[in-house]
């Protein structure tokens, strides 16, 4: 359903605008589009990093809504705009309620709103948690690929914190032809360790899976270390645990003490974003009073502006950019629109004449 908009005199000469249809996109629909498309999603995320680095995005700081009476919970607003081939504006509104997992439901829930760049009208309200987990895992898989070039692909991976994000990261690595001899697992919750082990078995991994009883042994025995905990402050302090110079995907951002970052090569997704909100990179900046420990962004590595050495650990810290959610969300939207599966709410916008 396309409805004609009343034009203002100034706009009359320009091409007439129309109010786009508004769709509601369920998690099942999102999953149907994204499942099996991990390679495309990684390419899209890489392309979006390039567009962001080229300055063709708007990605203001995320807004953290926190609650004095519920200090572990938060809801984050990530407004953004993407140019390039994607051309969409919008916002992700994502809750993190870590206590949810005790009841067996995921920590994070989200909606993603896409806005039409011509009229500003919202095009869709989509289930956002699958898009968010997919873009996070795609970014981690892209980093694992680009940052291990020149060192050889790690065959021993260790997951510290094994919830939904760890599962998505493993799925995206597997879908892009990573295979492992050994998979290490450590989580503060035995239930999470069991759940993740069960997932690994069902995924058909040929790797030997070892559940460690602490982070030290897991880190020392892994060449690719994935942090996906919900730690609010650093709990890993000892630089000697990283003496074998692993590649570290610090997806949960707040696990590592500043000393570890200061002794590593640091690649971020966006420098200004990452040095905020009490991340380990932010703490490192506060400790030394400068940003010299930051070597560059993943886009810098992809475009050859930064080259990597193998004489230190590499830590990738992705703050998580709203532009990635929009790019993946628009991909899902376009796939559904192209196959006639958009569920349009016909009368969603009903006040369409300025003077009635
Ligand atoms: N950087 C990004 O773009 C991005 C995007 C999405 C999620 N995340 C982050 O990823 C993390 C994981 O998200 P999730 O949805 O999988 O959460 P989840 O709650 O499903 O799983 C987190 C797991 O970490 C475990 N854990 C907590 N503290 C630990 C510690 N000190 N050592 C070992 N295990 C510990 C918990 O027991 C739990 O099993 C969160 O911190 C989230 O904010 C980052």
């Amino acid at each position: 359903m396309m409805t004609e908009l009343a034009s203002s005199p100034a706009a009359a000469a320009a091409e007439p605008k129309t109010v786009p249809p508004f769709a509601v996109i369920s998690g099942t629909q999102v999953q149907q589009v994204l499942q099996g498309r991990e390679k495309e999603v990684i390419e899209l995320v890489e392309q979006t990093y390039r567009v962001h680095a080229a300055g063709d995005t708007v990605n203001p700081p995320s807004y953290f809504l926190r609650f004095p009476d519920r200090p572990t919970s938060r809801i984050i607003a990530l407004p953004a705009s993407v140019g390039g081939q994607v051309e969409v504006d919008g916002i992700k509104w994502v809750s993190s309620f870590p206590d949810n997992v005790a009841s067996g439901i995921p920590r994070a829930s989200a909606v993603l709103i896409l806005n039409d760049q011509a009229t500003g009208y919202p095009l869709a309200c989509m289930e956002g948690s699958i898009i968010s987990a997919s873009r996070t895992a795609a970014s981690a898989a892209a980093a694992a690929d680009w940052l291990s070039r020149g060192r050889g692909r790690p065959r021993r991976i260790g997951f510290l914190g094994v919830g939904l994000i760890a599962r998505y990261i493993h799925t995206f690595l597997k879908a892009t032809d990573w295979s492992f001899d050994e998979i290490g697992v450590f989580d503060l919750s035995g239930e999470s360790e069991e759940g993740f082990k069960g997932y690994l078995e069902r995924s058909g991994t040929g790797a030997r899976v070892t559940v460690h009883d602490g982070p030290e042994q897991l880190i020392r025995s892994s060449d690719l270390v994935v942090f996906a905990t919900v730690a609010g402050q650093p709990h890993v302090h000892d630089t000697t645990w990283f003496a074998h110079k692993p590649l570290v995907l610090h997806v949960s951002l707040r696990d590592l003490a500043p000393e570890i970052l200061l002794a590593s090569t640091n690649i971020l997704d966006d420098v200004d974003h990452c040095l905020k909100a009490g991340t380990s990179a932010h703490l490192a900046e506060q400790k030394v009073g400068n940003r010299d420990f930051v070597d560059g962004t993943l886009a810098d590595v992809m475009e050859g502006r930064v080259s990597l050495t193998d004489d230190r650990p590499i830590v990738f810290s992705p703050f998580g950019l709203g532009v990635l959610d929009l790019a993946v969300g628009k991909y899902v939207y376009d796939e559904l629109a192209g196959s006639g599966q958009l569920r349009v709410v016909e009368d969603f916008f009903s006040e369409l004449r300025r003077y009635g």
Side-chain angles (χ1 to χ4, degrees):
M1 182 199 71
M2 304 287 268
T3 312
E4 283 290 323
L5 262 186
S7 315
S8 70
E15 212 170 287
K17 295 182 177 188
T18 55
V19 172
F22 178 80
V24 174
I25 299 175
S26 71
T28 305
Q29 286 189 301
V30 173
Q31 222 155 12
Q32 276 162 1
V33 172
L34 292 183
Q35 223 154 40
R37 303 257 179 89
E38 290 85 358
K39 282 187 179 153
E40 287 97 319
V41 176
I42 291 171
E43 276 164 27
L44 180 58
V45 161
E46 289 181 354
Q47 183 53 27
T48 307
Y49 278 144
R50 291 181 203 273
V51 171
H52 182 62
D56 199 7
T57 60
V58 185
N59 202 123
S62 302
Y63 183 84
F64 286 66
L65 178 65
R66 298 187 193 274
F67 317 98
D69 56 332
R70 287 165 284 151
T72 61
S73 300
R74 62 181 189 222
I75 311 182
I76 312 178
L78 292 86
S81 172
V82 196
Q85 315 256 298
V86 174
E87 296 192 321
V88 77
D89 306 331
I91 188 166
K92 177 171 73 166
W93 181 232
V94 55
S95 306
S96 171
F97 279 54
D99 295 346
N100 284 358
V101 300
S103 307
I105 61 173
R107 173 191 63 82
S109 57
V111 290
L112 179 68
I113 306 284
L114 301 183
N115 291 79
D116 173 34
Q117 287 200 335
T119 60
Y121 270 72
L123 295 168
C125 177
M126 325 177 60
E127 198 286 324
S129 74
I130 297 163
I131 289 167
S132 185
S134 299
R135 65 78 152 147
T136 303
S139 145
D145 175 21
W146 283 94
L147 303 181
S148 66
R149 292 182 187 185
R151 324 179 130 208
R153 275 199 167 185
R155 302 217 34 106
R156 301 182 305 164
I157 188 170
F159 289 94
L160 236 139
V162 286
L164 186 132
I165 292 295
R167 165 162 72 87
Y168 267 73
I169 291 173
H170 179 268
T171 301
F172 271 70
L173 289 172
K174 184 166 181 286
T176 44
D177 308 322
W178 285 74
S179 61
F180 301 102
D181 300 328
E182 290 178 34
I183 300 180
V185 172
F186 171 66
D187 197 291
L188 292 179
S189 148
E191 223 171 286
S192 297
E193 289 174 338
E194 280 311 307
F196 192 66
K197 257 180 73 183
Y199 150 75
L200 288 175
E201 276 157 27
R202 289 192 302 280
S203 78
T205 181
R208 187 155 58 104
V209 178
T210 306
V211 176
H212 294 276
D213 51 16
E216 178 177 358
Q217 218 29 56
L218 176 132
I219 292 166
R220 286 189 186 276
S221 58
S222 305
D223 305 310
L224 177 57
V225 184
V226 179
F227 281 89
T229 73
V230 285
Q233 47 215 7
H235 56 99
V236 172
H237 297 268
D238 193 335
T239 52
T240 66
W241 296 0
F242 298 82
H244 58 302
K245 306 176 194 86
L247 169 56
V248 179
L249 305 178
H250 191 200
V251 177
S252 38
L253 294 166
R254 295 177 182 86
D255 304 80
L256 297 174
E259 304 80 65
I260 291 166
L261 269 63
L262 296 172
S264 303
T265 298
N266 288 282
I267 303 298
L268 316 181
D269 56 353
D270 178 293
V271 178
D272 287 330
H273 282 267
C274 223
L275 298 184
K276 281 199 175 85
T279 63
S280 299
H282 190 198
L283 300 183
E285 182 190 30
Q286 288 170 340
K287 190 176 165 84
V288 295
N290 62 58
R291 298 178 166 193
D292 297 350
F293 66 95
V294 175
D295 294 275
T297 64
L298 188 58
D300 289 332
V301 174
M302 285 162 42
E303 291 174 359
R305 288 188 293 271
V306 167
S307 42
L308 301 166
T309 56
D310 58 6
D311 58 343
R312 314 176 104 202
I314 300 178
V315 178
F316 176 59
S317 301
F319 192 75
L321 303 178
V323 291
L324 300 186
D325 296 289
L326 289 186
V328 176
K330 182 66 170 12
Y331 173 83
V332 172
Y333 177 90
D334 287 344
E335 287 292 319
L336 292 170
S339 55
Q341 294 180 75
L342 277 186
R343 293 186 194 142
V344 169
V345 181
E346 293 292 345
D347 55 355
F348 192 81
F349 296 112
S350 64
E351 184 69 278
L352 294 173
R353 286 190 301 271
R354 290 181 68 218
Y355 300 109

